[in-house]
Structures are given as C-alpha cells and as structure tokens.
Amino acid sequence: MRERRRADQISREQATEQWQKAQEQLDRLSGQLAALQQQQQQQSERLQQAEQTWQQALASSEFADEFAFSSALLDDAQRQQLQQRKERLQQRRVEASALLAQATQTLELHRQTRPEGVDEVRSDAKALSQSLAELAQQLKARCNSGRGKCVTNWKATPLGTSISNRCLSKSTKASSSTMTGASLIS
C-alpha cells in the first residue's frame, strides 16, 4: 500500500506540475491575445480613419466615385512614357536656361558697346531708322566742315544697317568713316 500511496503522490505532483505549466502557458497566451487584440483595435481605428480621409479626398476631387478614380489611374507603360517626357522637358529647360544665359551675356555686351546717344527704349524699327538718319546727318556735317563732298551709303547687313560716309576733298585724300547700326538693335 505504501507503494500505491507513493505512486498516487507522484501522480498528483506530476499533475500539479503539468497544471501549473498549463496555467503559465495559458497566462502567457492570454497576454499575447490581449496584445494582439489591442493591435487589431489600433489597426482597425487607423483603417477607419484612412477610409474617412480617402472618402473626403474623393468627395473633394473631380472624380464621381472610386470607379471613376480607378479608371483614371495610369498603367505602367503610360507612367513610364510620361516620366520620359518629363525628363526630356527638363533637359529642354536646362538647354533653354543656358541659351537665356548666353543671350543675356550677349545683350549685356551689346549694351556696353552701343553708340552714344542711343538708348535701349528707342529700339523699334522706326526709332532705329530715325537714329540712323541722325547719325548720317552727323557724318555729313563732319565731312562738310572739311569743305569736301560727302557721299553717304546705307547698307543692310546681317547684323544691322551700316552707314558709310565718304568725304571727298579737292586738297586732301579721300577719307571715309563707317558707323554700324547693329548695336542699335536689341
């Protein structure tokens, strides 16, 4: 009988130990379940908030509903095509900026070398013609002050208009002066 009691006691101790292990595992799993339920609740709230934000954005957009929005989405080929176009346009912009910088530099150099008395405001064709006529008169006056004959020639060049004055004098060699109206064009 003693053996039997001993066997029963061992059995109870093992059962108690197994019950304690099972209880510990139950407590651990209950804690994990509670943490997972809390995460699920937080994710559910985030999902609900994201859905509300999406619905508000959709309502304030030009799309009537989600189907209209989905229909407007680009496929990969279209997206890639637009990306390439964007890159080409950006390259053109860089090139245009470089040309603008070059033109600005040329304009500044042009402004620095224009004849006296010619201002930038008077750059239209009529004003340029008038300025050229005035310059021609000044050349004639210089030439005539030397009591010679003045011959004035106007010549269109790719860079503008050129006025050539040739003063012929009886007592001196022919002298000539040329003024170019290219710097009058801006």
Side-chain angles (χ1 to χ4, degrees):
M1 267 239 176
R2 229 174 184 198
E3 285 182 18
R4 196 161 212 198
R5 279 191 219 162
R6 176 97 176 130
D8 284 343
Q9 186 176 5
I10 291 175
S11 238
R12 272 186 266 159
E13 286 176 2
Q14 287 177 346
T16 303
E17 190 177 313
Q18 287 177 351
W19 181 82
Q20 286 176 347
K21 286 182 180 179
Q23 187 64 40
E24 287 173 5
Q25 187 176 12
L26 175 66
D27 290 343
R28 189 173 55 252
L29 290 174
S30 293
Q32 288 177 355
L33 177 64
L36 290 172
Q37 286 174 336
Q38 184 178 8
Q39 287 177 0
Q40 180 188 18
Q41 178 65 30
Q42 289 172 348
Q43 294 297 330
S44 180
E45 289 171 3
R46 287 182 186 152
L47 175 63
Q48 188 177 17
Q49 184 176 3
E51 285 177 349
Q52 286 176 350
T53 303
W54 161 247
Q55 290 301 325
Q56 288 172 350
L58 184 62
S60 64
S61 74
E62 60 188 48
F63 300 105
D65 54 19
E66 280 188 60
F67 179 75
F69 174 78
S70 297
S71 297
L73 292 176
L74 299 174
D75 62 23
D76 289 338
Q78 289 173 320
R79 184 177 296 111
Q80 186 177 13
Q81 183 182 20
L82 288 175
Q83 182 64 32
Q84 289 172 351
R85 184 173 181 203
K86 176 185 170 189
E87 290 169 4
R88 284 192 309 269
L89 290 173
Q90 286 175 336
Q91 180 62 31
R92 283 184 178 174
R93 182 177 168 207
V94 168
E95 291 169 0
S97 293
L99 287 173
L100 176 62
Q102 183 181 5
T104 303
Q105 184 179 12
T106 302
L107 176 63
E108 188 57 36
L109 179 64
H110 185 67
R111 285 179 177 158
Q112 292 172 1
T113 58
R114 71 174 167 239
E116 290 182 29
V118 177
D119 63 12
E120 198 171 325
V121 177
R122 295 175 40 177
S123 64
D124 63 3
K126 189 175 182 180
L128 288 175
S129 294
Q130 184 179 358
S131 294
L132 287 173
E134 290 172 6
L135 289 172
Q137 290 299 323
Q138 290 174 6
L139 283 173
K140 276 185 182 182
R142 283 186 197 163
C143 184
N144 290 336
S145 68
R147 299 189 190 247
K149 181 179 178 187
C150 184
V151 178
T152 303
N153 293 318
W154 293 59
K155 180 179 174 186
T157 66
L159 299 175
T161 304
S162 173
I163 303 173
S164 177
N165 250 4
R166 188 166 196 139
C167 297
L168 303 174
S169 171
K170 293 179 183 174
S171 62
T172 63
K173 292 182 179 178
S175 66
S176 65
S177 61
T178 302
M179 290 188 160
T180 301
S183 60
L184 299 175
I185 301 171
S186 56

